[in-house]
Structures are given as C-alpha cells and as structure tokens.
Amino acid sequence: MPTYSLVDGNSFYCSCERAFNPRLKGKPVVVLSNNDGCVIARTSEAKALGIRMGEPWHEVRKRPECKTVMWFSSNYALYADMSRRVFDVLETFSPHVEPYSIDEMFMSLDGIGGDLAEYGRRIRSTVLKATKIPTCVGIGPTKTIAKLANKHAKDAHDLGGVCDLREERNRLELFGRWPVGEVWGIGPASAQRLERHGVRTVLDFIRMDARHVRDELSVVGARIQEELKGNSCLPLSMVAPMRKGLAVTRSFGTPVTEWQGMEEAIAAFAYRAGEKLREHGLVAGHLTVFMRTSEFRPGPKYGNQAAFTIEPTSDSLTLVKLATRAAHRLWRDGYTYAKGGVMLNDLTPPGARTGDLFPSKDPVKSANLMATLDELNARFGRGAVRSGATGLDRKWTVRTGNLSPRYTTSFEDALVVRA
DNA sequence: TCTGGGGTCCTAGGACCC
DNA sequence: TCTGGGGTCCTAGGACCC
C-alpha cells in the first residue's frame, strides 16, 4: 500500500509576510486580493476576530475589533519564491514531491520505515527552521485521505501538527463525525446532492453503493469514494503537465461605462497575456474575451464572451489587436461593466504541428494509461479498447458484446484491472 | 429485444480547487 | 468609493466524417 503525505503551509501568504517581518508575530494579519478587494489569507489571530475567507476588505476594516489588523497587498512573486524554498527542503525528505498548489506539496513516503508521525514532525521543524513557514503534515494511504489528515492536523491542536490516518480503524471513527463536504473534491453542489440521499458524513459516503455514487457524482465522485476507502486512484506526478491555458482577468477598480475605457482594459489584459505566454515559451491558438456587469450591484445585467481560433502566436500586439476587435463586437452601450478578461488556450511550443506529442505530458499518467490499456485489451481481446479511452477517468469505448450504447463506461473494470 | 455505427472535434457550462 | 484571479476536469450535445 502506498503512503502519501500532504504538507501544507499554515496561512501561507501571511506566513510569508511574517517570515520577513518579525513584528507581525502573534498579531492578526491578512493578505488581500488584487485592488485590495477581498481577504484571501488570514492568520489564526485574524480568524479569531471573525474575518472570513473572501470577505470584502472595505467591510472588514470598518468593524471596531478589526481596526488593528495588519494588512498586505498580495505579493505573488514573494510567495512563489517561498514556495520553491519549501519544496527544496521537502526534497531532502523524499525524492517524490509533487507541488500541488503554491502552499501544498504531496510527497510519497514509500519505503520510509519507522515512526512516520515522528518523520512528519521532523519535516515540520526542518521547514520551519529553513524558511520560517509553519506547516501541517497529513499522512494516509491515498492523496484524498492525506488531505483529510492534513485538515485534522490543523484543527486538532493536540496533534502537534501531524496526523497519520494510514490505519483504517483510526479513520472510521473520525469519518463518522466529519461532514462529507470537507472531502477534497466534494463541493457544495455535490454535498447537497448527497444530502438528498441521506448521506451526511464521510462514513455515510463510503458506505454508499458505488454505482449509485457514479450516477450521482460521475467518475469524479466514484474516484473520491475509492480513495476514501483506501484504494489509491490518484498517483503522484512529479512532472508538471504542460499548461493548458492562461488568463488575465480583473474586476475594474472603477466601473467602465465608455467604450474607450473597455478598449484600454482589454488591450492591457491582452498585452499581459502575451507576456505570460512568452515567459512560458508557448504560443496560443485560441483566444477568449469577456466582459460583464457586476453580480452585486443593481441595474441592467449584461455579460458576453467571444472565443475563436487564431493563428498561433505569442505576439502581444497581435493579441491586442485581435482581442480589442472581439471586445468591440461584445460591447453594448448603456451598461456599467465591472469585470473583463482575456483568456488564451490551445497552448503549444512554437512551431508545433497537430498531432505532436510533447515531452512535458505527464509520463506517470501516460505510463499508467498505457499499462491499463494493454491490460484491458488483453482481457477483452486485442483492439477491444480503442482511442477515446484517454485515461482512467475518461470515456472508455469497450467493444464487447452488444454495441448499443454509444459509450460504455466501465470504470469498475478499470479499477479491477488496476488492483 | 435491436429502427446505422463509430469516430473526431468543438463548444458551452458546471463543479471544484487554491 | 470598494465584492479575487487564477486554474483543472467532466459532461453533453452538435457538426461533421466515412
């Protein structure tokens, strides 16, 4: 059975600010989004004041008890640099580290003997010493369980920041108390659907009929259920897959009512999008432009987007020209626009042709897929599983028996083969 | 039993994540 | 005055092909 751990920086953005400013220690600190609009990170002291994630800062700062809160505009260059430092430390503990987000890293602890909780404590103290970033460590037989363990390590202060849920008997009692919505991948919509079936806790969910889960929550839910049962479906991938798209979008600081203002904004977004593209050494073959009125303010609502294929490019001026032309078609007079953006998709290295395979495609996933395809073909006969089967988690076209349904999804078969 | 079958590509929209 | 900015994956359905 594999062993995963998830190492997660506590109040990461705030901790980064604290790392360079000792006076912030023990004080309520928040980091704000672009334009200083909302709170996107807060220390435990700030949480204790009732400041919620995503709350508009202009509302929070008015509250008397929040007058003393120290606040920072976000500094993503700093946070990315701190994230890399944490990664470097973790690599001294395991050769298999997958950065999942700026503040979370999955690690494989396979083959590491002894007391893993003790190992986790050593990871924490080493990271803290080297980077001044406090962390929590969750350990489990699957990524999804490691994620839950990490959350528990954060909540239960008697654990010393480390929680090991490898043993099933240690899990089940906790699972019976946790709402299913706390599981990684189960959001509000899924939780509501499950509630309708009387499923409230993680334990309820594990005990739900697998086919039923698939019908309600698709393969995504089925995979999560397997993971919670202790069967690993989500492998570690150390190679970052090639970026699939990028976006530059903003809420406007002051609402836009004139075409000229919109034109300038879209041009700036497109220009910046081109810069990002060049930073990654890629060109884009698909461009999307959108604009919309505020969701929060009264008045006439309007929103629209235009998406189209372009000659692959990363040239900012070309992108600006194409994007503003598209924006012009979307523009309607008489509205107060609050938001807009430019998105780029179909990213490839320059000069790539249709059908090229890029080395940056995740080799771990690819190897798993090919092995699984081979096994399925061996089982159902050569050529039984055809293209279109692009992963464990996608459509499988299985040519056995009657052909009636257009696609036969045999996720269960895939799981059997894996096991 | 069965009312063409199998496939690709594209788009839109939903859901979730940090 | 002021309400984030990114991302990923999955599903469904239409157009089109042989």
Side-chain angles (χ1 to χ4, degrees):
Chain A
M1 195 189 291
T3 300
Y4 296 96
S5 77
L6 178 66
V7 182
D8 178 316
N10 302 344
S11 310
F12 186 68
Y13 295 171
C14 295
S15 297
C16 291
E17 300 293 346
R18 268 184 179 160
F20 294 95
N21 189 345
R23 286 186 305 125
L24 301 176
K25 198 172 176 188
K27 303 255 174 62
V29 177
V30 297
V31 170
L32 307 177
S33 66
N34 262 54
N35 301 338
D36 298 334
C38 329
V39 175
I40 56 171
R42 64 246 205 274
T43 59
S44 54
E45 297 83 359
K47 287 174 200 172
L49 292 174
I51 300 173
R52 293 187 307 274
M53 193 69 169
E55 234 185 323
W57 176 236
H58 67 90
E59 287 174 11
V60 175
R61 67 186 311 170
K62 274 189 248 166
R63 301 205 291 258
E65 70 275 19
C66 296
K67 294 285 187 206
T68 60
V69 172
M70 319 277 280
W71 60 276
F72 293 84
S73 300
S74 41
N75 178 353
Y76 292 103
L78 169 67
Y79 311 149
D81 182 60
M82 294 300 280
S83 180
R84 194 189 44 75
R85 295 192 205 186
V86 171
F87 178 85
D88 289 344
V89 175
L90 295 185
E91 273 208 313
T92 66
F93 284 89
S94 165
H96 307 294
V97 183
E98 174 195 358
Y100 169 65
S101 72
I102 197 162
D103 69 330
E104 288 168 90
M105 320 266 167
F106 282 108
M107 300 165 71
S108 165
L109 299 186
D110 292 351
I112 291 167
D115 181 352
L116 284 194
E118 174 53 30
Y119 199 71
R121 283 190 286 275
R122 266 177 48 210
I123 291 174
R124 288 192 74 211
S125 62
T126 311
V127 170
L128 184 65
K129 205 169 182 184
T131 68
K132 299 202 173 84
I133 299 290
T135 55
C136 283
V137 178
I139 300 169
T142 69
K143 283 180 162 182
T144 306
I145 293 173
K147 192 85 169 138
L148 274 175
N150 181 283
K151 196 181 191 109
H152 190 51
K154 278 206 163 70
D155 296 342
H157 297 290
D158 54 327
L159 293 178
V162 179
C163 174
D164 178 0
L165 290 185
R166 278 174 304 160
E167 290 297 327
E168 187 170 29
R169 62 172 188 278
N170 296 340
R171 293 200 291 269
L172 292 185
E173 191 250 334
L174 292 165
F175 283 5
R177 301 203 314 243
W178 292 340
V180 69
E182 297 202 353
V183 174
W184 185 36
I186 305 287
S190 301
Q192 210 178 351
R193 295 192 78 130
L194 293 172
E195 173 86 43
R196 274 185 240 133
H197 293 274
V199 171
R200 291 184 187 85
T201 67
V202 182
L203 191 61
D204 293 338
F205 181 58
I206 286 178
R207 292 184 173 159
M208 199 172 158
D209 177 65
R211 199 162 290 271
H212 209 155
V213 171
R214 202 201 173 287
D215 289 344
E216 282 295 323
L217 303 183
S218 88
V219 290
V220 181
R223 201 165 42 197
I224 293 169
Q225 194 196 29
E226 279 305 308
E227 284 252 315
L228 288 171
K229 287 177 183 170
N231 306 321
S232 179
C233 305
L234 303 171
L236 208 63
S237 51
M238 274 97 67
V239 179
M242 193 164 71
R243 179 182 289 271
K244 298 200 167 63
L246 65 82
V248 180
T249 69
R250 288 287 181 282
S251 295
F252 302 131
T254 49
V256 170
T257 53
E258 304 294 330
W259 161 245
Q260 195 198 335
M262 180 63 76
E263 187 179 29
E264 283 167 9
I266 295 293
F269 300 157
Y271 194 89
R272 176 66 190 128
E275 282 180 344
K276 281 185 168 183
L277 214 43
R278 294 193 297 278
E279 282 163 21
H280 288 97
L282 297 170
V283 294
H286 201 264
L287 173 65
T288 305
V289 177
F290 80 89
M291 59 185 72
R292 74 165 87 115
T293 55
S294 172
E295 307 146 56
F296 306 103
R297 305 189 70 79
K301 300 267 194 294
Y302 170 72
N304 208 347
Q305 62 176 319
F308 48 97
T309 303
I310 59 174
E311 192 63 33
T313 185
S314 66
D315 178 59
S316 279
L317 295 184
T318 306
L319 293 169
V320 167
K321 199 168 76 184
L322 294 168
T324 49
R325 195 185 296 162
H328 190 68
R329 292 205 301 273
L330 297 175
W331 175 263
R332 299 285 178 275
D333 278 320
Y335 293 100
T336 302
Y337 292 90
K339 227 176 222 190
V342 168
M343 279 112 79
L344 299 174
N345 283 294
D346 284 358
L347 308 190
T348 59
R353 290 158 317 194
T354 311
D356 282 354
L357 283 176
F358 303 116
S360 47
K361 289 244 157 118
D362 183 345
V364 177
K365 267 190 195 155
S366 169
N368 282 346
L369 168 62
M370 295 320 291
T372 314
L373 268 178
D374 283 350
E375 286 174 81
L376 278 176
N377 278 324
R379 188 161 138 191
F380 293 122
R382 192 119 210 88
V385 180
R386 314 233 309 191
S387 67
T390 53
L392 256 190
D393 27 32
R394 282 279 302 255
K395 279 177 286 214
W396 297 87
T397 309
V398 180
R399 298 200 301 173
T400 53
N402 288 338
L403 292 171
S404 36
R406 185 159 163 150
Y407 294 107
T408 306
T409 307
S410 60
F411 181 72
E412 293 77 9
D413 283 333
L415 286 176
V416 170
V417 171
R418 277 188 71 89

